[in-house]
Amino acid sequence: MSCRICEVTEIELIAESQFSKAFFPENPVGPAHIVVSVREHRPLLDDLTDQEAADVLVTSKRIAAAVRSLAGLEKFYMAAVGDVDLHFHLHLLPWAPGDPVLGPYIFGSDGWAGRRAAKDGTTDELRSRIRKQLGDLR
């Protein structure tokens, strides 16, 4: 199986670090849309080492700081979708003043949250199990 992210060439890179690399995606949502991925092929966030996870986020922060004012942006949204490329990566999605906001789509009752919200009473039970599982991380 081929992986587009593994196949990113040196010439396509716009930034890199020890554990991550950054490049422009094939189908950007804007000229400052940037992808930051872990170097090694790892499909999911929880497949990353702690060093890789930290490095991807620090690299994303550095890129956002360098590009934001240059591109006239107010901020970047970050999304880790992974529906097509099963190689962990973050999309830095540019947001300029006047652009529509994503929050209502993601968290609103008419958006993704409205379709995903637990309506059968399982939320409390699952949250209790999650708290117990994560107890050692506090």
Side-chain angles (χ1 to χ4, degrees):
M1 178 177 106
S2 70
C3 172
R4 167 67 184 123
I5 294 175
C6 285
E7 295 169 357
V8 168
T9 64
E10 288 293 317
I11 200 161
E12 293 175 279
L13 294 180
I14 59 172
E16 59 185 318
S17 64
Q18 183 178 0
F19 297 107
S20 61
K21 57 188 178 182
F23 53 94
F24 294 117
E26 290 178 358
N27 299 303
V29 299
H33 178 178
I34 297 168
V35 172
V36 181
S37 74
V38 65
R39 283 188 175 279
E40 294 296 318
H41 185 84
R42 306 211 195 285
L44 304 172
L45 174 62
D46 50 313
D47 293 329
L48 275 60
T49 67
D50 289 348
Q51 286 180 312
E52 288 170 331
D55 190 76
V56 166
L57 192 56
V58 167
T59 299
S60 297
K61 175 196 169 291
R62 289 178 178 160
I63 290 169
V67 173
R68 189 169 57 86
S69 63
L70 176 71
L73 304 173
E74 187 165 313
K75 65 181 177 179
F76 280 94
Y77 286 114
M78 262 193 330
V81 181
D83 289 342
V84 174
D85 295 309
L86 300 178
H87 180 134
F88 184 79
H89 60 286
L90 296 176
H91 289 266
L92 300 181
L93 302 169
W95 190 86
D99 286 349
V101 295
L102 280 177
Y105 176 74
I106 296 168
F107 298 108
S109 61
D110 292 334
W112 193 57
R115 292 192 304 269
R116 298 279 305 145
K119 295 176 175 73
D120 60 4
T122 60
T123 299
D124 291 340
E125 178 197 342
L126 179 57
R127 286 182 174 181
S128 176
R129 291 185 2 227
I130 290 169
R131 284 183 188 279
K132 184 177 180 183
Q133 180 72 21
L134 298 179
D136 291 342
L137 296 180
R138 288 192 287 183

